């Protein structure tokens, strides 16, 4: 067997986005005597999706807003599929977390003239509650979090990718994580008393997608192999306005944030006419799922821009104003030859976020003892659709909770658990398999996966397309197993890591397709052309997927309306104004 390096830590955090870094800081604050290690595929502070956040952070701060109102927007936006206890934890703890970001960690968000925090409009919400730093909010948050992690001397395993959750021999608990040190290609087993799954989702299996190419749903794939349940996996959010700059640039698919439409931006089809009123009375400020379907309908009707999408127009809001408000996006568009402030920019719906993920509890525990989860690796917080601005709130809120929970648990359970050595050997053999096969064309597999998911499991779906996708995904998985990788040098062997990425993406794609076929109604981000109606909200259920020895197993669980039932609200009516005599 390949030589195996072994390390030990009390708390191991997989991922260095908002969830992972907040978990590290909270765990360190709660129990500074514990050893804490952050493992990340790239470099801490320089990779992941939180850094890419443009829009902002939803939180109820201003007069006239409330956590109850934020909660109702979240539940209604998620089409009553969310776990209401998780959603309530999100909106209430977000208030605490935004003050922590500013007052303890040093973030500086945009201000109103009176010094209060500026909050901008985001689609699908009844109040302007999105805190931001221009259109570069994620960079501000990650930079400050990274500084604090470095200052505290928290351990780092950079350029280490997690490949397997290793249980104890009896399968009763997690013992640690098997990794690949990408710098030399060697395997590393990290024994840990508590592990956070915070790798993020990243639906990069679609032709147009917003996350960076290193995002490959590794966390969900590992959880699936470990026997954990995933929920709401059919709910993949397409952001309506991904930059469409042609096929020759990776900039295609990157997001042009919600604030453009919130500020009053117009969507125009290829005939240069606004079209969203045909699909929703809120026009461009409808929720992301509705706007994406509206754009997709225009594309299918042939009313497209030169590259096959539609346009976003901002010039009517004032060129100088747009340049000031959206400096980062103006510069990004200019790099691709577009004038966002004064001209038209081509856009297309782009796979952005996965509402589904690992089933977890409000304290971030999972069904596997010793494993915690937070951020986009988890399901249940958002339901069928995520409001723009709730994503980074989700990561930071539950990341902090996970850090507190893990520290407390490790203090109560200080004894390490021995790993299943056979499972380590089996995983190493599986991940070395491509070195025993003749090299093949991975790019052809990737392009086939892109086309399959975009065409058949994309913005619009039906039974025929989903069954076609299931067959194609099975073929791609079998074909990938026959493709090898040259074994000349395993150090930074990107072809090997592409192979592993594709294995994870195909596995998670199969779950998405299976769940989408099972849900025979349309709700939020999931739209079935053969079942366009939404079933009775009061009898809502969510789909749970597990991997069994014979394949995927699907079941349904009823949504528990623990705080409010469909048709009701927790908002108090405004007091009637008394007449003045």
């Amino acid at each position: 067997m390949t030589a195996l390096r072994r390390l030990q830590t009390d708390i191991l955090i997989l991922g260095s986005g908002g969830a992972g870094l907040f978990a590290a800081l909270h765990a360190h604050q709660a129990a500074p005597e514990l050893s804490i290690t952050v493992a990340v595929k790239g470099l801490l502070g320089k990779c992941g999706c939180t850094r890419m956040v443009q829009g902002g952070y939803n939180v109820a701060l201003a007069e006239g807003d409330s956590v109850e109102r934020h909660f109702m927007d979240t539940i209604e936006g998620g089409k009553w599929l969310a776990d209401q206890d998780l959603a309530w934890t999100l909106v209430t703890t977000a208030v605490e977390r935004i003050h922590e970001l500013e007052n303890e960690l040093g973030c500086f968000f945009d201000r109103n003239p009176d010094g209060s925090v500026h909050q901008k409009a985001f689609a699908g919400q009844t109040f302007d509650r999105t805190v931001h730093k221009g259109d570069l909010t994620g960079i501000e948050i990650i930079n400050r979090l990274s500084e604090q992690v470095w200052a505290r001397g928290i351990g780092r395993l950079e350029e280490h990718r997690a490949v397997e959750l290793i249980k104890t021999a009896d399968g009763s608990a997690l013992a640690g994580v098997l990794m690949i040190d990408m710098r030399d290609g060697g395997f590393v087993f990290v024994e840990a008393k508590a592990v956070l799954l915070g790798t993020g989702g990243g639906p990069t299996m679609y032709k147009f997608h917003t996350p960076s190419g290193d995002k490959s749903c590794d966390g969900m794939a590992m959880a699936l192999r470990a026997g954990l349940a995933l929920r709401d996996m059919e709910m993949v959010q397409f952001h309506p306005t991904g930059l469409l700059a042609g096929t020759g640039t990776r900039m295609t698919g990157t997001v042009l944030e919600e604030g453009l439409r919130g500020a009053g931006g117009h969507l125009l089809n290829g005939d240069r006419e606004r079209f969203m009123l045909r699909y929703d009375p809120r026009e461009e400020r409808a929720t992301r799922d509705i706007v994406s379907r509206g754009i997709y309908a225009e594309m299918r009707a042939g009313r497209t821009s030169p590259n096959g999408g539609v346009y976003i127009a901002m010039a009517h809001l004032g060129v100088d104003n747009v340049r000031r408000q959206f400096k980062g996006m103006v510069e990004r568009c200019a790099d691709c030859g577009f004038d966002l402030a004064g001209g038209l920019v081509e856009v297309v719906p782009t796979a952005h976020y996965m509402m589904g993920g690992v089933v977890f509890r409000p304290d971030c525990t999972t069904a596997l003892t010793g494993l915690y989860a937070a951020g986009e690796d988890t399901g249940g917080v958002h339901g069928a659709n995520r409001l723009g601005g709730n994503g980074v709130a989700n990561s930071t809120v539950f990341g902090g909770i996970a850090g507190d929970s893990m520290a407390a648990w490790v203090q109560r359970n200080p004894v390490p658990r021995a790993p299943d050595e056979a499972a380590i050997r089996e995983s190493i053999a599986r991940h070395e398999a491509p070195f025993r096969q003749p090299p093949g064309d991975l790019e052809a597999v990737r392009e086939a996966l892109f086309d399959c998911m975009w065409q058949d499991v994309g913005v619009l779906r039906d039974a025929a397309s989903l069954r076609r996708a299931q067959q194609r995904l099975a073929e791609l998985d079998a074909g990938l197993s026959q493709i090898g990788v040259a074994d000349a040098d395993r150090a930074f062997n990107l072809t090997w890591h592409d192979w592993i990425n594709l294995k994870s993406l195909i596995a998670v794609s199969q779950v998405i397709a299976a769940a989408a076929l099972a849900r025979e109604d349309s709700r939020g981000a999931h739209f079935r052309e053969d079942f366009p109606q939404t079933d009775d909200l009061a009898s809502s259920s969510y789909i749970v997927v597990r991997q069994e020895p014979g394949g995927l197993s699907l079941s349904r669980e009823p949504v528990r309306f623990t705080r409010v039932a469909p048709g009701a609200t927790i908002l108090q009516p405004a007091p009637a104004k008394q007449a003045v005599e």
Side-chain angles (χ1 to χ4, degrees):
M1 187 182 79
T2 299
L4 178 67
R5 186 158 56 100
R6 294 177 185 263
L7 302 173
Q8 289 184 323
T9 187
D10 291 318
I11 295 174
L12 176 62
I13 294 167
L14 305 180
S16 65
L21 297 187
F22 248 102
L25 292 172
H26 271 242
H28 183 272
Q29 183 175 21
E33 74 280 5
L34 298 179
S35 59
I36 301 165
T37 304
V38 178
V40 56
K41 227 177 182 180
L43 299 177
L44 193 146
K46 299 296 183 182
C47 64
C49 288
T50 305
R51 183 177 177 82
M52 300 170 71
V53 169
Q54 299 171 14
Y57 190 118
N58 288 345
V59 58
L61 295 176
E63 183 178 354
D65 200 7
S66 65
V67 294
E68 291 82 6
R69 190 170 181 175
H70 187 186
F71 174 80
M72 289 305 303
D73 284 350
T74 298
I75 295 300
E76 291 175 346
K79 306 304 178 187
W80 296 89
L81 210 62
D83 180 304
Q84 294 191 1
D85 292 336
L86 292 174
W88 183 254
T89 301
L90 171 72
V91 302
T92 53
T93 313
V95 179
E96 171 188 329
R97 208 61 91 232
I98 204 74
H99 291 309
E100 187 177 351
L101 280 165
E102 278 217 312
N103 301 333
E104 296 181 30
L105 301 176
C107 289
F108 191 78
F109 300 112
D110 285 8
R111 288 299 207 266
N112 294 310
D114 65 359
S116 60
V117 173
H118 180 260
Q119 294 178 274
K120 63 183 176 181
F122 255 32
Q125 302 194 73
T126 61
F127 200 91
D128 297 352
R129 65 169 64 92
T130 307
V131 173
H132 64 106
K133 172 72 169 179
D135 59 353
L136 299 171
T137 310
I139 290 177
E140 176 71 7
I141 291 174
I142 287 296
N143 283 354
R144 303 293 83 76
L145 288 173
S146 299
E147 289 168 356
Q148 296 298 328
V149 167
W150 291 325
R152 284 159 175 75
I154 291 169
R156 304 194 303 275
L157 286 174
E158 295 178 302
E159 294 174 325
H160 281 65
R161 77 174 295 166
V163 294
E164 206 77 62
L165 301 175
I166 302 296
K167 301 179 187 178
T168 56
D170 64 2
S172 64
L174 186 65
V177 178
L178 181 66
M179 298 185 175
I180 297 173
D181 182 343
M182 300 171 70
R183 300 168 301 179
D184 61 16
F187 287 89
V188 182
F189 175 69
V190 183
E191 180 185 89
K193 299 165 187 173
V195 174
L196 174 66
L197 196 62
T199 63
T204 58
M205 64 281 286
Y206 287 90
K207 180 178 181 180
F208 303 110
H209 57 263
T210 67
S212 58
D214 65 335
K215 305 296 290 184
S216 51
C217 300
D218 290 337
M220 293 183 190
M222 289 189 294
L224 198 63
R225 291 196 299 272
L228 289 160
L230 307 184
R231 62 168 286 177
D232 299 332
M233 289 298 290
E234 70 275 25
M235 303 301 177
V236 179
Q237 181 175 87
F238 288 82
H239 196 292
T241 51
L243 180 63
L244 184 56
T247 57
T249 172
R250 179 59 190 89
M251 292 302 294
T252 286
T254 56
V255 77
L256 296 180
E257 60 114 325
E258 197 97 354
L260 295 176
R261 290 181 292 115
H266 292 167
L267 292 172
L268 312 177
N269 61 24
D271 299 328
R272 311 293 177 94
E273 63 178 8
R274 291 180 72 186
F275 58 85
M276 273 308 301
L277 190 58
R278 285 199 282 268
Y279 306 103
D280 194 277
R282 293 170 293 181
E283 298 181 285
E284 285 86 358
R285 288 190 66 173
T287 52
R288 290 176 174 178
D289 55 316
I290 293 171
V291 180
S292 291
R293 289 197 294 273
I295 294 173
Y296 197 80
E298 296 294 305
M299 292 166 60
R300 287 213 303 192
R303 297 185 287 269
T304 65
S305 63
N307 282 308
V310 299
Y311 299 105
I312 189 164
M314 302 294 294
H316 59 283
L317 299 174
V319 172
D320 291 340
N321 177 52
V322 174
R323 286 177 177 153
R324 182 178 64 255
Q325 276 192 269
F326 303 105
K327 180 177 182 290
M329 277 182 292
V330 168
E331 292 175 353
R332 191 176 305 115
C333 289
D335 289 341
C336 297
F338 292 113
D339 180 5
L340 177 64
L344 300 177
V345 178
E346 292 186 63
V347 294
V348 67
T350 180
H352 184 53
Y353 192 92
M354 302 175 74
M355 277 71 73
V358 176
V359 175
F360 80 124
R361 306 179 186 97
D363 64 355
C364 296
T365 55
T366 70
L368 179 59
T369 299
L371 181 67
Y372 296 73
E376 198 180 347
D377 274 329
T378 64
V381 177
H382 307 292
N385 197 23
R386 176 178 70 82
L387 296 179
N390 269 4
V392 68
N394 173 29
S395 296
T396 57
V397 162
F398 288 102
I401 291 171
D404 294 333
S405 296
M406 289 189 295
W409 192 81
V410 170
Q411 286 176 320
R412 295 193 305 270
N413 299 272
V415 179
R417 297 174 293 278
D420 182 347
E421 297 293 341
I424 294 176
R425 292 192 295 271
E426 290 167 8
S427 182
I428 290 175
R430 188 167 61 251
H431 287 92
E432 288 185 327
F435 295 122
R436 297 188 290 272
Q437 300 288 346
D441 189 355
L442 290 179
E443 192 60 28
V445 177
R446 188 193 323 279
E447 290 298 325
L449 177 62
F450 283 169
D451 288 341
C452 171
M453 294 301 288
W454 173 253
Q455 298 292 342
D456 290 340
V457 200
V459 177
L460 301 176
R461 306 158 173 179
D462 61 29
S465 74
L466 293 167
R467 291 194 179 96
R468 187 166 57 243
Q470 287 183 312
Q471 180 177 347
R472 185 64 175 134
L473 290 168
E475 293 169 354
L476 291 175
D477 190 42
L480 182 62
S481 296
Q482 302 303 312
I483 292 177
V485 173
D487 197 10
D489 187 355
R490 296 191 184 186
F492 291 109
N493 189 325
L494 299 185
T495 306
W496 181 26
H497 290 285
D498 278 346
W499 188 95
I500 299 171
N501 290 345
L502 285 167
K503 265 294 182 185
S504 292
L505 287 171
I506 291 172
V508 175
S509 295
Q510 290 175 313
V511 177
I512 294 170
L517 184 61
R519 179 169 289 285
E520 294 183 336
D521 76 331
S522 291
R523 193 176 301 214
H526 170 73
F527 191 87
R528 288 282 297 264
E529 292 188 281
D530 49 349
F531 294 98
Q533 79 289 342
T534 297
D535 286 348
D536 176 44
L537 295 177
S539 56
S540 294
S541 61
Y542 59 91
I543 295 171
V544 178
V545 184
R546 292 178 174 84
Q547 184 169 294
E548 305 287 355
L552 297 177
S553 168
L554 279 72
S555 61
R556 286 182 176 269
E557 296 288 341
V559 175
R560 297 184 305 116
F561 303 114
T562 56
R563 295 181 180 273
V564 62
T569 181
I570 62 172
L571 298 179
Q572 298 299 316
K577 292 184 178 180
Q578 295 183 349
V580 179
E581 296 183 359

